[in-house]
Amino acid sequence: MQINSSLVLLLSIFPMGLHITMSSTCNRVRLRVETKEGLESVSTNNASSDIRTISAHILDTTIGQAVSNVNITIYRLTGDNVWQKLNEVATNEDGRVNQLVNGAQYKGGIYKLHFNVEPYFTKREVKTFYPFIEIVVRCEQSQHYHIPLLLNPFGYTTYRGT
């Protein structure tokens, strides 16, 4: 699929954070401006790979920068009150993980994100009060959840992003 320069110019003037989805019967192209992912072709044969589920982002508020290479492990609480590990992935250079749970695994329930932040602070030679941070959230299957972590050595905050 080719995109003409007018469309690229039009998309480039939108503010950061805007999600644009274009659909057709043959394929779908998803443009994710804020993650700088560019154009990503998504096959209609595998619908579960195109479902946006839970994403995360880490920002170090002491230096005003994204935090890369931090492992995030995601768990789902089972009916037996046991945390089932679903995935572990490191943040990219933009401090993001765009898909923590694939569409086939994703269902409504209680999820726990375990951010292993101690190695990040150790590498920077900064003492921290938090060796790891765990955030527990309730998710519905039909929703996308973005969970930013605003981090510093002695405090953090989080919220439901977009």
Side-chain angles (χ1 to χ4, degrees):
M1 177 178 192
Q2 289 190 337
I3 296 183
N4 67 35
S5 59
S6 300
L7 180 58
V8 172
L9 177 61
L10 178 64
L11 295 175
S12 67
I13 63 172
F14 282 104
M16 298 302 280
L18 181 65
H19 303 270
I20 298 172
T21 303
M22 298 172 277
S23 297
S24 74
T25 56
C26 297
N27 62 21
R28 295 195 313 176
V29 177
R30 193 170 53 192
L31 178 60
R32 297 282 317 265
V33 176
E34 95 282 355
T35 62
K36 302 175 188 159
E37 288 176 330
L39 295 173
E40 173 187 346
S41 264
V42 178
S43 168
T44 56
N45 296 333
N46 186 2
S48 67
S49 68
D50 191 33
I51 298 170
R52 291 197 55 225
T53 59
I54 302 172
S55 58
H57 189 192
I58 307 175
L59 295 170
D60 185 333
T61 58
T62 58
I63 59 174
Q65 293 181 353
V67 178
S68 61
N69 298 315
V70 169
N71 284 339
I72 302 174
T73 307
I74 187 161
Y75 302 85
R76 183 176 47 237
L77 190 61
T78 67
D80 300 333
N81 285 328
V82 175
W83 290 109
Q84 174 190 15
K85 182 178 176 179
L86 300 175
N87 195 14
E88 182 175 348
V89 64
T91 55
N92 65 18
E93 63 185 35
D94 211 21
R96 295 176 183 271
V97 173
N98 294 317
Q99 189 85 316
L100 281 162
V101 179
N102 72 44
Q105 289 181 303
Y106 187 58
K107 56 185 173 183
I110 298 176
Y111 290 83
K112 175 172 66 173
L113 284 72
H114 176 97
F115 297 81
N116 189 20
V117 297
E118 189 167 48
Y120 165 73
F121 286 116
T122 301
K123 183 177 179 182
R124 291 189 53 232
E125 299 180 352
V126 173
K127 289 184 179 183
T128 180
F129 186 61
Y130 302 103
F132 61 87
I133 295 166
E134 291 186 329
I135 300 170
V136 178
V137 295
R138 181 182 310 274
C139 299
E140 296 177 24
Q141 186 166 354
S142 61
Q143 298 284 314
H144 168 254
Y145 296 88
H146 181 65
I147 303 164
L149 175 63
L150 305 179
L151 177 66
N152 70 63
F154 299 99
Y156 66 92
T157 191
T158 187
Y159 57 94
R160 181 179 177 185
T162 59

